[in-house]
Amino acid sequence: MGVKGIGEKIGCSRVKLNPDNYLAEGARNDQLFKLACGIYRYDTALDPPVLFSYIWLINDAKCRPPLPEQEVKTLVQSAIKRVRDSQRKIARQNHKT
């Protein structure tokens, strides 16, 4: 399944990553955060260090300039928290009905 299929399945914004597409200052945090949320939402069994490694590799390959390591760690932790909180909220809403 390609990136488009994953993005459609989890309802997140797509991040187009191709050889000519770099994330410039001003877009890096938002795009990497959306990507981390989408990946984690697709596979919540993914270990956080694995998710960090994946986002770190994309940061290094696609961000101009790359974000510092601590910033990437923070955005990955925030993405995991956002997805978990969202899933808990949905579960509570489903339990009430």
Side-chain angles (χ1 to χ4, degrees), residues 39-48 50 84:
I39 293 167
Y40 194 69
R41 194 173 291 124
Y42 185 74
D43 184 4
T44 56
L46 192 64
D47 287 332
V50 174
R84 287 178 178 168

Side-chain angles (χ1 to χ4, degrees), residues 10-81:
I10 59 179
C12 67
S13 300
R14 287 190 312 167
V15 179
K16 295 179 182 177
L17 296 175
N18 62 54
D20 299 323
N21 188 16
Y22 292 98
L23 303 174
E25 286 185 87
R28 300 170 299 167
N29 286 66
D30 184 55
Q31 294 298 306
L32 289 176
F33 179 78
K34 286 178 182 178
L35 186 61
C37 284
I39 293 167
Y40 194 69
R41 194 173 291 124
Y42 185 74
D43 184 4
T44 56
L46 192 64
D47 287 332
V50 174
L51 180 58
F52 167 77
S53 295
Y54 183 66
I55 300 300
W56 178 251
L57 288 171
I58 293 171
N59 174 60
D60 188 53
K62 294 295 179 182
C63 291
R64 296 294 179 260
L67 294 172
E69 182 177 0
Q70 188 56 49
E71 202 164 339
V72 175
K73 284 181 181 178
T74 300
L75 78 82
V76 167
Q77 290 169 348
S78 296
I80 290 169
K81 182 180 182 326

